Amino acid sequence: DPRGLYTCTFNKESRSIHLYYRMCQNCIEVDAPTISGIVVADVVATVFLAVAVYCITGHDKGRLSRASDRQNLIANEQVYQ
């Protein structure tokens, strides 16, 4: 704990300072490799999610229409009156 009274002596001259420093108890030190790892993991997760969404929704182009997909709204091609 760096709190306390500090004294500096230079050329037989003494000066004192009372220091109160509050240290963070639950802090996590974040350095450059940690930040770059978080950024890379975020980009990889975003790309994975985009590919998954594309694979799930992107295959409707080649689907052939089935006979059950079409319904005749007017029976026997009659003219609507």
Side-chain angles (χ1 to χ4, degrees):
D1 192 21
R3 292 185 277 191
L5 182 65
Y6 288 88
T7 305
C8 179
T9 306
F10 183 71
N11 290 337
K12 298 182 183 180
E13 196 174 315
S14 178
R15 303 230 176 187
S16 298
I17 185 171
H18 186 73
L19 181 66
Y20 177 76
Y21 182 74
R22 182 175 169 187
M23 295 183 65
C24 182
Q25 298 289 329
N26 298 323
C27 294
I28 298 172
E29 184 177 339
V30 180
D31 51 355
T34 304
I35 293 173
S36 63
I38 291 170
V39 169
V40 168
D42 186 30
V43 169
V44 168
T46 303
V47 168
F48 178 73
L49 184 63
V51 169
V53 168
Y54 175 77
C55 288
I56 291 171
T57 62
H59 292 295
D60 289 339
K61 295 177 185 174
R63 193 182 90 179
L64 299 173
S65 62
R66 296 179 298 219
S68 63
D69 288 343
R70 297 183 183 189
Q71 295 179 354
N72 292 329
L73 298 178
I74 301 174
N76 298 328
E77 302 289 330
Q78 296 175 356
V79 178
Y80 181 73
Q81 296 180 3

